[in-house]
Structures are given as C-alpha cells and as structure tokens.
C-alpha cells in the first residue's frame, strides 16, 4: 500500500487489534484495513488453487516420455553393478564420451529411446519419496542373483513396488557364474506372484550378467517394452513441473537441487516455486556435467538459482514471472504454517500422485497362514459405499522395520495378529509415530478396522440457529475496537456463538463472536429484546442494519 508500517499498526491498535510488524492479519481484517486506507484490495487465490490450474491446463501436446526406473533387490545381488554398467556402456558409446556426473539420476539412450535411472538403488529412497507423497518411479527393475535366489530384501522390494502400483521387470543377475540357476529363481518368484513369460505369466524376466555384460541390451529392451505398455504420455510444450530428487548446498555454487522434470520443458531463466522455496533457473546441468539450455520430461538435471535447500520429494513448478513465484512461495509458507499439514500430498502432479483417500490401507502381520486367510476373508465382507478397506500387505511373521516404513509411506493401519514387532521395528514405530495394533481375536481386529474406517467418514453436521440481532449503530470502544451496537430480535446470543452477518439477504461473513457487552460490562449472554454491543472475531466491516445470526454447530460422528 506504500503506507508506513507504524501507521498501519497504529490504525489496527485503534481497532483494538494489537500486532507487531511481523504478524499476519486474517484476510478479512487485512481487506478492511486496505479499504480504510483508500486502496482497492483484490484477494489472491490460494497458492494451491493457482498451481492446480496450471497443471489442469495441460491436456494437449501429449507425447511419450522416457520411463523413470528404480533398481531394487537384495544386498550384493548386483544393483550398483547393473546401474554402473548401464551408465558406462552408454557413456562410452555416447557422443559426449568421458566423465559422468553423479547427480542422483542419469539417462541413457538406446536407439531412439531414452531411459531414466534413479541412481540410489534399493527401496529406502523409493519409500522415503513415497512417504512424502511423490511417486517418481514408473518401473522397478528387481535384481536377483542367480546363484543366491530370492532373499528377504527381494521380497521386501516386491512388496514396496506392489504397494506403489509400480510394475516390476526382473533382472536375474550373475548368470556368468557356474552355480547360477536362473530357473530356480523363476520358480521362487512364482511364490510371490511374479510369473515369467515362459511360465505363461506376464512379468518380463531377463537373464543377465553385469560382469560380462551378458544380455544388458535385452534388459533395456524389456524396460522399453514395459514402458510402452504403461503408455507414459505427458505435455512437452508447457511450462515445466518436476519433483526434487536431491538437494545440497554447494560451497561454490550455492543451493543445488537435482530435479526430474515430470511434464513440460524446463528452460534457463524460468521462475519457479519448489516446496516453500522459489527461484530463477540460473543454470541447468545435465547428468554428463554439461550446461544445457533446457530439459524435457523425465530428464534429471541439476538446477542452480533456488533460494535455499529444497527437500527431496518437493514439487517444482515453473510460473510466469518472478512476482508470481515469490508470492506463491510466500503463500505456501503461510498456508503451511496455518495448516501444519505437509505440503506434499496436495501438490503432486496428478500423473504422479497416489490414489484417493477413501480407502483404508491395511498391513496385517499374523502368526500363521490360517489366521491370515481368515482375517483377509472377514475384511472382504466389510462393505461400505464411502470407504473400503484395502489390504496392501498381509503376511506371516513378526512386524519388521520394513512393515513400519511401508505403513508410513502408504498411510496404512498396521496390525499385528498374534505376533510381536521386532525390537528395531518397535523403535522405528515410536520414532515415526506409527501405531502397531496388537490383537489375538479376529473380531476385535474387525472392530478396530471398522472404527478406523468410521474415522474416514465425514461426520453429520447439524446447524441450529439460536438467535438473531439487528445492528442499530456502529461505535468504537477503546480496547475492544469496532463494536456493533445491536438489539437481539429473536432467541439469544452468547459470547461463544458462531455468527453470520447477513446483508440484503446475502451472507457477508461467517465467524465467531469476539466480545459481548451490556452497557459497558462483558457478559456471557444476551436475550431477546435486549440491546448489546458485539465485536466479531477477525471482522470489522459490519454495517448498520446488518442482521447477525447466531448459531451452533453439532457434529455427530458416523460409524460403520
Ligand atoms: P548391490 O549391493 O546389490 O549394489 O551389489 P553390487 O553391485 O555392489 O555387487 C555385489 C558383488 O557382486 C560385487 O562384488 C560385484 O562385483 C558382484 N557382481 C555384480 N554383478 C555380477 C555379475 O553379473 N557376475 C558376477 N560374477 N559378479 C557380480
């Protein structure tokens, strides 16, 4: 407004609002104040509304984008070797030759196809990303050593990929070893419902050796085939959106974020928000360490020009100009402070986000196969139109750390039936504030699930009007600010009422009573026929002849 802050503070003080320069005003108070200073306020849209609009405008120019691949599997089965050999094969044959830059992900070219690999193998990073609401993997390559077979982390990887609904391509590695037995691996994988094509299933499995480079081209072909099935299309021409993969503060270069572009084309000079940060793209550096001018969808790049460290899993959205970027990041910071909700879930690109919230995700660990089956059957009988239970994992054995991480990532209820959590799982659950619910009677499990499902139902809200009043005149009271001198015309108004201001039949504002006065004394209640003074919380723009309607709201929880 180009007004001195001291004048603003003084004016607010006159209205009975005591603030310092660092505080934020409620929107209605701010609007009133701006008008009182002779300006014309225009309300900003919420940050997320603007961002959703940007994303929704993206239905044209759809083209296939490269798949984003994460490599998972048991320790020592060759994940890192596979990633390294794919990368180096590509660098040697690639036009740039020479140095590779580790920026958290890399892209390879295979004939006319590009593929993007996340450089951190294993499910920890994958799950961490997912627990922040980001899905940055289209395909999981499951590496299983042909001499060692399916091991606990192989199984965990399968579970993680399944929970995230990501298809699996199996790389049976170390086939150069004499003791390699790929067929045995395939048979073991059958138990986990991964059925190879030669066993008339639809899981692509390739027998490879990272050491001798056997069949690496076949592995790449299988990934490309899987990507074709997924039909990964996105807009290439619009402004870019992306997801932050890594971030660091570099001594020479300042804050550096590795992002993967998820849609549109990122260009040097673009203004953007990322989580609560914003910036201007000063430089784009690709996985070969080269400065480039733009980055297309699924490309991993390092970005310079962000105004602080971003967080892995944060979104990245290019906007029209600096002003928009600044305001949006400020709004987000403010909304984040107000809601205390993590930003992530609401802000994902729809193509990369998880499913809707009306499912109750369940992880059930039980002692024996029989009870596991019985519980699964009983749960499948629970039917409701608005919420449904979804078992994302039902397994035998103690509750492990993986179960806890999975529960966190999938926002799932974790049930232990006749089993105990391991010491590590218990510790992790405490740290992550994940509840492990232990039961030994099936119908108690069902009651608990039903109560959790009930919690997802929106409560029945009922509103009862308790009284109305008419504003006769407006006056100021020192210490209370602007007061509506009113007469109660029906029922009663109490100091803890919710209140609606009605002008010419329209609801102007809904809020709460601030203070209620009779004469000069604060009172708790004013009845029909009596005159009183009323202040309204966070609102001062009431006028003579406005009607005040007091009401209370009762909400009744529903149950299943
Ligand atoms: P990670 O823990 O899954 O990342 O496994 P690494 O890539 O670190 O590999 C573990 C060990 O297996 C290393 O000693 C590798 O040299 C070895 N290795 C990886 N791939 C192959 C392969 O195809 N054949 C043989 N013989 N050894 C391999």
């Amino acid at each position: 407004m180009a007004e001195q802050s001291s004048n603003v503070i003084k004016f607010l003080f006159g209205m009975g609002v005591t603030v310092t320069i660092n505080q934020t005003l409620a929107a209605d108070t701010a609007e009133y104040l701006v008008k009182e200073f002779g300006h014309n306020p225009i309300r900003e849209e919420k940050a997320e509304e603007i961002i959703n609009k940007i994303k929704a405008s993206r239905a044209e120019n759809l083209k296939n984008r490269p798949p984003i691949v994460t490599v998972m599997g048991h320790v020592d089965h060759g994940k890192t070797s596979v990633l390294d050999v794919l990368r180096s094969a590509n660098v040697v044959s690639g036009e740039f030759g020479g140095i590779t830059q580790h920026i958290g992900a890399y892209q390879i070219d295979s004939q006319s196809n590009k593929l993007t690999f996340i450089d951190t193998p294993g499910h920890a990073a994958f799950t961490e990303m997912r627990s922040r609401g980001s899905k940055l993997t289209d395909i999981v390559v499951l590496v299983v050593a042909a001499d060692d077979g399916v091991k606990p982390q192989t199984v965990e990887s399968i579970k993680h990929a399944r929970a995230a609904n990501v298809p699996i391509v199996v790389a049976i590695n170390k086939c150069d070893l004499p003791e390699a037995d790929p067929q045995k691996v395939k048979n073991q994988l059958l138990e986990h419902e991964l059925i190879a094509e030669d066993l008339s299933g639809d899981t692509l499995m390739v027998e490879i050796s990272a050491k001798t480079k056997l069949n690496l081209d076949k592995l790449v072909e299988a990934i490309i085939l899987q990507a074709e099935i997924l039909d990964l299309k996105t807009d290439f021409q619009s402004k870019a959106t992306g997801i932050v993969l890594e971030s660091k503060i570099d001594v020479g270069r300042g804050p550096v974020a590795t992002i993967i572009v998820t849609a549109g084309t990122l260009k040097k000079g673009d203004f953007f928000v990322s989580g609560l940060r914003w910036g201007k793209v000063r430089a784009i550096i690709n996985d070969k360490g080269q400065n480039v001018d733009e980055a297309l969808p699924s490309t991993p790049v390092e970005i310079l020009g962000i105004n602080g460290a971003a967080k892995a899993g944060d979104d990245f959205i290019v906007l029209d100009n600096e002003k928009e970027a600044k305001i949006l990041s400020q709004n987000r910071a403010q909304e984040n402070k107000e809601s205390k909700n993590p930003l992530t879930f609401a802000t994902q690109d729809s193509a990369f986000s998880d499913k809707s919230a009306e499912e109750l995700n369940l992880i059930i660990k039980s002692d024996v196969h029989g009870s596991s089956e019985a519980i699964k059957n009983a749960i499948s009988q629970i039917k409701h139109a608005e919420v449904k239970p979804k078992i994302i994992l039902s397994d035998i054995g103690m509750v492990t750390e993986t179960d806890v991480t999975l529960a966190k990532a999938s926002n799932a209820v974790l049930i232990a039936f006749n089993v105990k959590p391991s010491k590590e799982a218990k510790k992790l659950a405490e740290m992550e504030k994940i509840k492990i619910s232990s039961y030994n009677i099936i119908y108690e499990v069902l009651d608990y699930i039903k109560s959790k499902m009930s919690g997802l139902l929106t409560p029945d809200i009922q509103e009862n009007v308790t009284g109305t009043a008419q504003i006769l005149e407006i006056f100021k009271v020192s210490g209370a600010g602007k007061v509506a001198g009113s007469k109660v015309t029906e029922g009663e108004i109490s100091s803890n009422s919710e209140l609606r201001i009605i002008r010419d039949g329209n609801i102007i504002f809904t809020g709460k009573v601030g203070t209620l006065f009779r004469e000069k004394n604060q009172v708790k209640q004013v009845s029909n026929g009596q005159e009183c003074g009323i202040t309204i919380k966070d609102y001062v723009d009431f006028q003579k002849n406005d009607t005040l309607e007091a009401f209370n709201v009762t909400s009744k929880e529903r149950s299943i």
Side-chain angles (χ1 to χ4, degrees), residues 31 132 141 176 187 198 306 315 328 419 438 512 517 550 553:
E31 198 169 3
R132 300 217 53 228
V141 168
D176 57 291
N187 290 339
D198 53 351
I306 190 166
D315 60 358
L328 273 181
V419 289
S438 303
K512 270 178 164 307
F517 298 98
V553 178

Side-chain angles (χ1 to χ4, degrees), residues 73-84 121 143 173-177 208-213:
H74 195 69
V75 63
D76 276 349
H77 279 198
K79 300 179 293 292
T80 316
S81 306
V82 169
L83 277 167
D84 284 349
V143 176
N173 191 30
K174 306 199 187 182
C175 287
D176 57 291
L177 294 173
I208 65 160
S209 162
K211 193 172 172 192
T212 64
K213 305 195 175 148

Side-chain angles (χ1 to χ4, degrees), residues 152-287:
Q153 286 169 339
T154 318
V155 179
E156 281 178 13
S157 302
I158 297 172
K159 285 177 193 162
H160 281 284
R162 288 248 167 83
N165 249 335
V166 177
I168 297 171
V169 171
V170 179
I172 304 177
N173 191 30
K174 306 199 187 182
C175 287
D176 57 291
L177 294 173
E179 60 270 36
D181 189 351
Q183 204 50 46
K184 190 172 152 205
V185 173
K186 287 185 187 174
N187 290 339
Q188 288 175 328
L189 286 171
L190 271 178
E191 284 172 35
H192 303 279
E193 287 156 44
L194 285 178
I195 309 164
E197 282 181 309
D198 53 351
L199 299 174
S200 52
D202 57 3
T203 306
L204 302 171
M205 299 196 187
V206 191
E207 295 170 22
I208 65 160
S209 162
K211 193 172 172 192
T212 64
K213 305 195 175 148
L214 169 77
N215 285 344
L216 288 176
D217 49 344
K218 292 227 170 71
L219 176 60
V220 170
E221 267 168 38
I223 298 169
I224 292 170
L225 187 62
Q226 185 65 59
E228 275 166 14
I229 296 168
L230 292 174
D231 195 22
L232 305 163
K233 281 198 163 57
T234 193
D235 182 349
F236 275 57
Q237 285 175 14
S238 59
K239 293 196 187 69
T241 51
I243 294 175
V244 175
L245 189 63
E246 280 183 12
S247 146
K248 60 181 177 199
I249 307 276
D250 196 292
V251 182
R253 302 186 294 169
V256 183
T258 297
I259 67 160
I260 294 194
V261 179
T262 53
T265 299
L266 180 70
K267 299 195 171 95
K268 238 166 99 172
D270 278 347
F271 288 97
F272 61 87
V273 286
S274 179
L276 304 179
R277 306 287 184 188
W278 72 279
K280 178 183 180 177
V281 178
R282 272 200 290 121
I284 305 176
I285 300 131
N286 69 12
D287 55 344

